[in-house]
Amino acid sequence: MREQPCVLLLTHSQEPFCTERVAGALLRAGARPLRLDTDDFPLALALSGELDPAAGGRLLLDGEALTVDAVWLWRLWPPRLDAGLAAPHREAALRESMTALRGLLDLLDDAPWIDGIDANRCAENKARQLRLAQGLGLAIPPTLITADPAAARRFWGAHDGQVVAKLQTSLGYSMAGGGGLPTRMIGPADLEALGGLRHCPMMFQRYVPKAMELRIAWVDGRALVGGLDGARCGVDWRHESTASWEAHALPTAVHERLAALMRQLGLRQGAIDMIVTPSGDYVFLEVNPHGEWGMLERDLGLPIGEAIAQALLGLARAKLRERSER
Amino acid sequence: MSKKIMDPQSEGADLPFFAHLLTSQSDPAQSTNGGGAPTYHCLDSPCTKKYPSDDDESTTWFKDSDG
């Protein structure tokens, strides 16, 4: 029986921090981390899949069958295609490469994932997150998702103009940043432009006064929490903050409700954003299944990579035992 | 039969509302007093930017390929 668990880490070639933290913790625990930079496929990564009528499917890396005992899904990036590829071919190559990669990774369905691709896609639904959170007793901001200018205008009036707007997805992907839309406060002058909703809906929420902004790195039931002084944050702390991270402990009741939410979403990991109001209420905003946590580990020493590694190891060892008993 | 959104106050808007917000308000991270978000930067030298990988949703690029 093979004794050293092998854990596959799905990431990308520019990922600067988190992957190595998890890999280091796995190594220290005696496991074998295998980093796979997904943007290397197909240009520089020799991945293949075989589907045999009798034996079933298997994933090959450099021509060898790849058996892993757990998979950590951190990032799946589109390929770095050859710069010389003509534009009409580039789009097809991009689409086909990502489709092929999705199929190849499906051949690892015998291994446990943190977290599976389909689970992530389902959990990224922000309306679903808010619906489930509210049902579990978590406070949420009044929210309107609409393409109807009149509805948005009514919502703005009903909340005395204390309304923010946000998109549910990014405007683009990159490590370069700057391509996102910060959550914005809606002023009276913006109302005249609401007709633009007919081109693209948006999410509107009542502005939540903040004593503290929280980012909660959730790992398999554990909450590793960083907070920012709300008085030193703008509407969107990701874009406007002079605060430094400080450690924070969640009330037990909030922790339990978040645990239930993550179970219902089918997630073992995620970055949860909450606001603590001046009156001490905890308001749930969203979960990003792959939200950044590197700054919390870097600045506060929170052992997030270690926690992820331990969660992966637990699953990997159980899978190894299962395979040895077959 | 579907009902159409009729909003005489806002007909003729050419820009998506999010694009209006992008152009009508300055980026807070670029303002002189906003201070950016130094606590949120990525951690390597080519990645010292304002908005790192929250937007790198892992499956964003797994769009339906046959649609």
Side-chain angles (χ1 to χ4, degrees), chain A residues 75-124:
Chain A
R75 297 282 186 264
L76 296 178
W77 263 29
R80 290 179 286 110
L81 296 172
D82 192 306
L85 210 53
H89 300 151
R90 174 170 291 274
E91 187 178 340
L94 176 71
R95 190 171 57 244
E96 189 66 17
S97 297
M98 291 304 284
T99 300
L101 180 61
R102 179 169 52 180
L104 293 172
L105 294 176
D106 187 68
L107 297 175
L108 297 175
D109 73 317
D110 186 45
W113 287 55
I114 295 180
D115 288 300
I117 292 171
D118 291 340
N120 275 294
R121 293 187 76 170
C122 194
E124 283 169 354

Side-chain angles (χ1 to χ4, degrees), chain A residues 9-87:
Chain A
L9 311 177
L10 296 175
T11 183
H12 66 80
S13 59
Q14 297 177 56
E15 206 285 307
F17 184 80
C18 299
T19 307
E20 290 306 313
R21 288 296 176 128
V22 174
L26 287 166
L27 273 174
R28 289 192 297 276
R32 184 166 76 92
L34 177 61
R35 175 173 180 155
L36 198 152
D37 292 326
T38 53
D39 52 333
D40 280 348
F41 179 79
L43 198 59
L45 188 61
L47 271 184
S48 310
E50 286 184 349
L51 289 145
D52 183 86
R58 62 178 188 159
L59 183 63
L60 306 174
L61 177 61
D62 294 327
E64 300 288 330
L66 180 62
T67 301
V68 299
D69 305 302
V71 181
W72 183 49
L73 174 54
W74 182 229
R75 297 282 186 264
L76 296 178
W77 263 29
R80 290 179 286 110
L81 296 172
D82 192 306
L85 210 53

